Amino acid sequence: MDFARTFRRRSAARRALASAAGTLLGLAGLLVAAPGTAAAAPAPTAPSAPAAHNPDLDWMGSTVRAHEGGSTPPPSGRAAGPLVTQTPGMDVSHYQGTINWASAYANGARFVYMKATEGTTYRDPNFSANYTGSYNAGFIRGSYHFATPNSSTGAAQADYFVAHGGGWSKDGKTLPPMLDIEYGSTSTCYGLSQSAMVSWITSFVNEVHAKTTRWPTIYTTTDWWTTCTGNTAAFSANDPLFIARYSSSVGTLPAGWPFYTFWQFADSGTFPGDQDRFNGPLSGVQNLANNV
């Protein structure tokens, strides 16, 4: 028997077996050391969709106090301001429920803005009742659109607004349509850059003007306007300013506007809804309604 040849064959077999065992042990080590590499990684979980926004909770100034606070208005309910006649009024939405328009008029209110629409799908359920009721009680009234610039274009929202209450007629009782542009519910500026926001507002006001012949009033706060539009003065030549500031003085106005046309000075008071002032006598409200 060739013992040398037999020994070499057995030695080679042992080496092969040892090599195979080493490989298996190495794989086992990998399985223990890095278990994630042995099984397929779990599929990434999609982020949860944000809770659906509820337009029923949006109205003129619904975001203002949370962002800017405000002091208590004078006890008389009259706001301090320019030494000119101030005509009292208010703004409302369905949030106020059924409104006693005759009582509000008897208490001194002479104009009212009311919510008509939001985005391109929402219509205030009380708009028709408010629009008719205020007219019958003697108010000069107007409608407003709550802007959501992250949901559709300015022109698309303007079209929806005009088609569902945002129109205008020269009847001496109808104020210019109004854009309510304020803090977003999840992002102050709705995720838009300052230039994009200016473009959005431009699209909205131009479309309203094209459809109604009136430049819309713009409701906002100086802080929001500065933060989200870069304090542009681009709209001050045509669009009346409705400034929101819950204080005894109106404070600094957004760039370009030398005066305010309306001032929302408190979110509660004598009248239903928010408490407002027109910067002038009742004849000025009538002139604005008549576009003169």
Side-chain angles (χ1 to χ4, degrees):
M1 178 181 291
D2 187 344
F3 289 101
R5 181 178 299 172
T6 300
F7 178 79
R8 286 195 296 271
R9 286 174 180 167
R10 289 176 178 173
S11 297
R14 290 191 185 101
R15 286 195 298 270
L17 183 60
S19 176
T23 300
L24 289 173
L25 288 172
L27 288 173
L30 286 174
L31 288 172
V32 173
T37 61
T45 302
S48 299
H53 180 69
N54 185 358
D56 283 331
L57 301 180
D58 295 331
W59 60 85
M60 281 175 62
S62 58
T63 68
V64 172
R65 183 171 289 279
H67 286 267
E68 300 187 21
S71 61
T72 302
S76 66
R78 298 185 62 82
L83 299 178
V84 298
T85 300
Q86 301 278 289
T87 303
M90 60 194 195
D91 59 86
V92 299
S93 71
H94 79 283
Y95 193 78
Q96 278 70 45
T98 301
I99 294 171
N100 187 332
W101 292 104
S103 176
Y105 192 89
N107 285 332
R110 291 296 179 264
F111 71 87
V112 59
Y113 265 106
M114 59 199 66
K115 185 176 181 179
T117 54
E118 179 171 338
T120 56
T121 58
Y122 179 83
R123 299 168 65 179
D124 189 288
N126 285 24
F127 173 72
S128 294
N130 286 339
Y131 205 67
T132 301
S134 59
Y135 180 90
N136 290 339
F139 282 84
I140 299 174
R141 79 281 194 255
S143 58
Y144 73 85
H145 175 82
F146 193 97
T148 54
N150 58 339
S151 67
S152 53
T153 67
Q157 293 193 30
D159 287 340
Y160 186 77
F161 175 43
V162 172
H164 298 98
W168 176 80
S169 60
K170 192 173 183 178
D171 59 2
K173 304 284 281 186
T174 307
L175 292 167
M178 185 165 71
L179 172 66
D180 174 0
I181 186 90
E182 54 185 277
Y183 301 92
S185 59
T186 58
S187 169
T188 294
C189 303
Y190 299 87
L192 273 63
S193 67
Q194 292 176 342
S195 60
M197 184 63 76
V198 171
S199 296
W200 192 96
I201 297 171
T202 300
S203 175
F204 184 95
V205 302
N206 285 350
E207 185 71 3
V208 168
H209 183 260
K211 292 292 177 68
T212 69
T213 74
R214 293 303 306 267
W215 291 106
T217 301
I218 294 177
Y219 168 91
T220 193
T221 76
T222 300
D223 176 73
W224 186 92
W225 193 260
T226 301
T227 301
C228 297
T229 75
N231 205 20
T232 181
F235 305 98
S236 59
N238 294 320
D239 300 276
L241 174 65
F242 201 136
I243 192 70
R245 187 168 190 260
Y246 304 155
S247 181
S248 59
S249 64
V250 74
T252 303
L253 298 178
W257 279 287
F259 58 86
Y260 64 87
T261 299
F262 298 97
W263 173 19
Q264 184 189 72
F265 68 90
D267 55 6
S268 64
T270 303
F271 313 125
D274 301 309
Q275 313 298 291
D276 304 328
R277 289 286 183 268
F278 173 81
N279 193 12
L282 180 59
S283 60
V285 184
Q286 294 167 335
N287 288 340
L288 181 63
N290 284 316
N291 198 24
V292 296

